[in-house]
Each structure stands twice: as C-alpha cells, then as structure tokens.
Amino acid sequence: KIEANELIKNVTIEKMMSGVVHIEVEEEDIIGTYQENKKTYLLLGDGSSIEQDGKDIQRIVKFPLIGKFSKEQRTLMAESFVRPGKKVKAEYMSLISEINPHEESYDKNMVEIVMQDGNRVYSAYESVFLLNLYKEPLPNLKKDNECILLDLLTESITTEDCKAFQ
C-alpha cells in the first residue's frame, strides 16, 4: 500500500534472523509548490509534478513557493537541486521561502532564491548545490536582506549589491 503513494520512491522491507523487521522508505524529493490554471502542484526533484487537492493543502506550506517558470525551466531547475553528488541538503531546502526565475545577460536560466531570513540568493542552475554553504557567510553579513551570489567558477558564495540584480 505504501508504494502506491506518489511521494514514495522506494520501500525495502527486510526480516532479520532475530525476528526484527527493518523497513526503509525512500521519499521523493520535493522542491516546492506552484500554481497553474488555478490548481496547486508539488514539484518533484525529477521535474514531474503532483496535483494537490484540498485535503493535502496543509502540508504544502512547508515547501518553497515556485515562481513563474516555463515547464522546461521548471524541470531543469528542479533537477538542479537533486543532482547526484551535488544535492541541496534538506536542512538548506527548509530555509527557502521562494524560488523565482532570474535572468542575466550571460545566463537566461538562473534562479532567485528568497530565504526565510530575507536574504536573496542568485544562482545559475549548475551552482545551486553551493546553497549547502549558505550558513558560512551569514555571521559576516553587514546588514539584513543581503544579496548573495553562488559562484560556480570559484565554488564560493559572495555578497553583491542588490542593485546589480535588478
């Protein structure tokens, strides 16, 4: 029955010689929620979506709100959060309030990640995994609501004047 749930990726049940039953459940990676055609969806790490009905609405408030991405951008963006070896950890996903599309002249596929603390993080899809370093520069920030750039070239986080991203 549990495998019938769309949010369950895999279940392994093993009965040990001692009689102990070991159950391992692997859940789908949930990136966030978005609305389209007056319906609410969960966006999964593989880029697929699951429509949410009224009874499930309470649980979706825990996930980031996804902005107006095209379907193709939404898939690429979602996959960027769960790349093998470069997956954004759950503790950092839980700090995200919103994920919005962002463009710069040098890259049309970027994200603006609004954190719950008010900081805004800007990143290309390829460097989203650097969000795992998010807490490192926080003690050195000079003010609230900073703009932060995840830089793939140097694999580092830098602060920028927010005017640079407008």
Side-chain angles (χ1 to χ4, degrees), residues 94-156:
S94 69
L95 300 175
I96 300 173
S97 178
E98 299 174 29
I99 304 171
N100 297 304
H102 182 76
E103 285 186 16
E104 291 291 337
S105 61
Y106 55 87
D107 193 343
K108 302 292 183 206
N109 291 314
M110 295 182 71
V111 290
E112 173 197 51
I113 302 169
V114 181
M115 305 302 283
Q116 290 181 2
D117 61 10
N119 293 327
R120 294 179 183 272
V121 177
Y122 294 87
S123 174
Y125 294 165
E126 295 80 20
S127 53
V128 167
F129 73 96
L130 293 171
L131 205 55
N132 291 325
L133 304 174
Y134 178 71
K135 291 182 181 177
E136 289 180 15
L138 292 181
N140 300 324
L141 296 180
K142 294 181 172 68
K143 60 183 179 179
D144 292 337
N145 302 325
E146 288 273 357
C147 288
I148 297 168
L149 178 66
L150 303 181
D151 186 356
L152 181 63
L153 188 61
T154 61
E155 290 199 4
S156 64

Side-chain angles (χ1 to χ4, degrees), residues 17-33:
M17 294 287 283
S18 62
V20 172
V21 176
H22 179 80
I23 301 172
E24 189 173 322
V25 179
E26 182 182 2
E27 300 177 70
E28 291 285 352
D29 295 302
I30 300 173
I31 305 302
T33 65

Side-chain angles (χ1 to χ4, degrees), residues 2-9 28 44 49-52:
I2 197 167
E3 288 178 325
N5 186 318
E6 296 172 296
L7 296 175
I8 302 300
K9 197 181 282 187
E28 291 285 352
L44 304 182
S49 300
I50 299 174
E51 185 179 343
Q52 295 298 286

Side-chain angles (χ1 to χ4, degrees), residues 49-108:
S49 300
I50 299 174
E51 185 179 343
Q52 295 298 286
D53 56 22
K55 68 179 177 79
D56 294 328
I57 295 298
Q58 289 297 335
R59 74 172 166 196
I60 68 169
V61 297
K62 299 176 187 173
F63 302 107
L65 180 63
I66 306 293
K68 300 288 183 197
F69 290 86
S70 70
K71 186 174 182 177
E72 180 184 346
Q73 285 178 319
R74 200 168 41 231
T75 298
L76 293 171
M77 180 273 296
E79 290 171 349
S80 72
F81 279 86
V82 295
R83 280 199 179 100
K86 295 184 176 185
K87 182 177 180 177
V88 178
K89 296 176 186 171
E91 74 176 281
Y92 294 97
M93 289 298 296
S94 69
L95 300 175
I96 300 173
S97 178
E98 299 174 29
I99 304 171
N100 297 304
H102 182 76
E103 285 186 16
E104 291 291 337
S105 61
Y106 55 87
D107 193 343
K108 302 292 183 206

